[in-house]
Amino acid sequence: MNSNHDYWDPAMEGLGRAELEALQLMRLQRTLGQALKSPFYAARLKQHGFSGPMERLEDFRRLPFTTKQDLRDSYPYGFLCVPRDQLVRLHVSSGTTGQATAIFYSRKDLDSWSDLMARCMYMTGARAGDTFQNLTGYGLFTGGLGFHYGAERLGMLTIPSGPGNSKRQIQLMRDFSTNVLHIIPSYALRLMEVMSAAGIDPKQSLRLKIAFLGAEPYSEEVRNRVQQFYGIKVFNSYGLSEMNGPGVAFECVEQNGLHIWEDAYLVEVVDPHTLEPVADGTVGELVLTTLDREGMPLIRYRTKDLTRMLTGACGCGRVHRRLDRIRGRTDDMFIIKGVNIFPIQVEQVLMGIPEVGGNYRIVLTRADNVDQMKVQVEVTDRVFVEDMRQLQRLRRKIAKSLCDEILVTPEVELVEPYGLPRSEGKAVRLVDERAR
Ligand code: ADP
Ligand code: ZN
């Protein structure tokens, strides 16, 4: 065990690889025993011929996968492993991609989730005594309450400000010297515009030092913009309701990949078509097994999120492996003129262009049987919307840069600042109007 580091949970964060794997095997056995108490796994595992303890950790790869569809089919109680009266929380996934799914938590589940969240934030330098402002949705979205309980566990003064009402957010930041933020990337960009329009330079007039950005895909370019404008360090935060919510994987001070907490989750990356494991460094679908949940354990859950395992040791000393930035969900990909594209590739290009503002949208249409791709881009308030020639140049520059990246030249429509619709929750980046 490594005791030279300042860890929130030295027993778990300081484990060596062999100790970690021994713990995983033990927790996996316990999880399987627990899972068998649910109607779903009792039937599924039996059907699969699973009988009793597993001797080697690798053997879990012979277990069946669990999908979002399974969760939907067994809604609401098919996955429940404890009596109803032992549950203290219910979350419903925000349903970005269809019918909702229900996730249950026992008191112990909430407790270990809060600890994981505290561990994540502590890892980035957040400390008791800091002021934490939580600018994400409370309610059924797990991001709000997950961070809230974790921040209180850590001992930060926690302001549950929720999303929106930017003026009040800024006021709270001023009045209480907020230095730690949790905010989704699209709102961080929006708030930036509100501050610039009001002539506020957060580097001068606020005390911010750290922000946690997650819940939706974003590019390194967005991280850079947010870091520069607010004068802070931005850490990527990943999770999903099915695995508690946030707190599954998080960046450390190195800001180079997200440590996935392997004492709590067993991680695989598989080819989404063959479902065979891919080599480290190769992009595939993330598959997770919970190792520390009693209310609703999940085995080999297909997250639909695409990422890859990073190789090599992390400078921070933790052996928990690192995931690369999530590129999006398998179903975010769209095909246009025979080319496969992820919205994040478009974002990466746009956010590298200084005249581009904080919001964009990809609109797909079909005319005369030909697919058309349009990218609507808000410009910053430094662009003179009256200067036609400047606008033409900018449109051409954006179209060319996009073509270099995605190999398709989209139509580019420039929109004035704040011109595009916004959602309070996760941003909608893709509007597909092609008739199916
Ligand atoms: P929904 O599936 O309805 O959006 P969740 O709130 O559970 O409900 O969202 C979890 C999903 O959000 C993840 O599966 C992933 O697609 C996305 N996500 C969460 N954090 C990140 C992140 N840091 N980067 C990219 N995508 C993320
Ligand atoms: Zn690290």
Side-chain angles (χ1 to χ4, degrees):
M1 191 177 295
N2 195 335
S3 55
N4 302 327
H5 289 86
D6 188 11
Y7 293 147
W8 171 258
D9 188 344
M12 292 297 132
E13 290 170 81
L15 286 173
R17 197 69 219 171
E19 297 164 300
L20 178 59
E21 285 173 12
L23 178 77
Q24 287 185 315
L25 180 59
M26 196 193 78
R27 289 190 165 179
L28 179 65
Q29 311 282 24
R30 194 177 67 194
T31 297
L32 291 170
Q34 184 68 8
L36 283 167
K37 296 179 187 164
S38 72
F40 175 84
Y41 281 120
R44 174 66 66 92
L45 292 178
K46 200 168 121 207
Q47 190 187 32
H48 221 79
F50 169 75
S51 59
M54 216 162 251
E55 293 194 351
R56 299 172 317 157
L57 192 55
E58 310 81 271
D59 293 343
F60 91 100
R61 288 187 187 273
R62 294 211 290 266
L63 295 171
F65 289 97
T66 306
T67 64
K68 189 147 197 138
Q69 193 55 44
D70 292 326
L71 293 180
R72 288 177 178 148
D73 294 344
S74 301
Y75 183 89
Y77 295 122
F79 277 84
L80 199 55
C81 295
V82 298
R84 286 266 317 262
D85 63 4
Q86 284 180 30
L87 296 173
V88 295
R89 177 87 68 78
L90 161 68
H91 276 285
V92 173
S93 126
S94 47
T96 308
T97 58
Q99 189 200 311
T101 49
I103 310 294
F104 301 101
Y105 306 71
S106 68
R107 186 167 303 285
K108 182 170 166 289
D109 291 335
L110 281 192
D111 224 49
S112 42
W113 182 21
S114 305
D115 248 333
L116 280 180
M117 285 310 311
R119 190 199 290 186
C120 290
M121 292 188 273
Y122 192 90
M123 172 165 72
T124 68
R127 290 293 179 271
D130 284 340
T131 303
F132 172 73
Q133 195 163 324
N134 197 9
L135 295 84
T136 60
Y138 277 72
L140 292 175
F141 171 59
T142 47
L145 286 170
F147 268 88
H148 183 98
Y149 277 75
E152 290 186 349
R153 170 78 41 106
L154 205 161
M156 294 193 281
L157 170 59
T158 301
I159 311 179
S161 59
N165 200 343
S166 301
K167 264 195 176 151
R168 193 176 59 181
Q169 300 282 8
I170 298 165
Q171 193 64 44
L172 287 167
M173 289 176 194
R174 276 206 177 117
D175 293 351
F176 302 101
S177 305
T178 300
N179 52 3
V180 183
L181 302 177
H182 174 222
I183 183 166
I184 64 174
S186 45
Y187 188 39
L189 292 170
R190 164 101 184 105
L191 192 60
M192 234 161 95
E193 294 171 333
V194 174
M195 286 189 185
S196 339
I200 297 168
D201 178 359
K203 294 191 283 298
Q204 302 294 324
S205 55
L206 300 174
R207 297 279 181 80
L208 306 174
K209 65 169 183 180
I210 288 175
F212 310 121
L213 266 67
E216 58 187 16
Y218 63 106
S219 55
E220 203 57 43
E221 285 70 16
V222 166
R223 186 216 302 261
N224 293 340
R225 278 190 178 205
V226 173
Q227 292 199 142
Q228 276 163 22
F229 180 82
Y230 295 95
I232 54 176
K233 289 261 181 232
V234 166
F235 298 95
N236 200 347
S237 151
Y238 169 77
L240 61 163
S241 313
E242 295 88 328
M243 295 287 133
N244 280 336
V248 175
F250 218 84
E251 278 182 332
C252 68
V253 284
E254 304 282 323
Q255 293 180 302
N256 180 18
L258 298 90
H259 287 285
I260 178 149
W261 297 123
E262 293 188 81
D263 54 306
Y265 304 96
L266 208 50
V267 52
E268 302 169 75
V269 181
V270 304
D271 179 309
H273 303 294
T274 65
L275 301 182
E276 290 300 321
V278 300
D280 286 353
T282 306
V283 174
E285 178 178 350
L286 185 67
V287 172
L288 297 171
T289 299
T290 64
L291 291 175
D292 195 23
R293 272 162 61 87
E294 63 175 15
M296 193 175 160
L298 292 177
I299 297 164
R300 304 195 79 196
Y301 182 71
R302 292 186 56 185
T303 65
K304 292 192 166 185
D305 289 326
L306 293 170
T307 182
R308 62 191 181 120
M309 275 298 194
L310 297 179
T311 50
C314 185
C316 77
R318 291 174 182 82
V319 298
H320 300 259
R321 284 177 296 168
R322 285 165 304 142
L323 301 179
D324 197 2
R325 188 176 279 288
I326 313 290
R327 307 189 171 201
R329 309 185 204 224
T330 44
D331 30 67
D332 285 343
M333 192 192 78
F334 59 94
I335 302 179
I336 192 113
K337 299 182 176 151
V339 185
N340 299 352
I341 302 171
F342 280 96
I344 198 77
Q345 293 175 274
V346 172
E347 175 183 298
Q348 223 173 321
V349 170
L350 295 178
M351 293 299 150
I353 301 174
E355 295 94 334
V356 170
N359 203 2
Y360 69 93
R361 218 162 67 142
I362 302 162
V363 184
L364 306 179
T365 51
R366 180 170 293 160
D368 302 327
N369 269 328
V370 181
D371 287 348
Q372 310 288 338
M373 174 178 173
K374 176 156 82 177
V375 182
Q376 299 174 310
V377 183
E378 283 183 15
V379 295
T380 66
D381 49 15
R382 289 185 300 276
V383 172
F384 293 106
V385 281
E386 286 81 22
D387 184 343
M388 284 306 283
R389 250 197 255 146
Q390 189 199 5
L391 293 182
Q392 287 298 357
R393 265 201 308 274
L394 181 56
R395 267 171 37 129
R396 275 202 300 272
K397 172 165 136 188
I398 294 174
K400 162 128 199 348
S401 310
L402 282 171
C403 180
D404 289 345
E405 166 69 26
I406 61 177
L407 309 178
V408 169
T409 308
E411 179 192 342
V412 174
E413 181 188 339
L414 299 179
V415 179
E416 59 191 308
Y418 316 126
L420 290 174
R422 282 161 209 274
S423 56
E424 253 206 1
K426 305 188 183 202
V428 180
R429 298 300 191 196
L430 181 66
V431 184
D432 194 343
E433 292 171 347
R434 297 176 292 185
R436 305 232 162 234

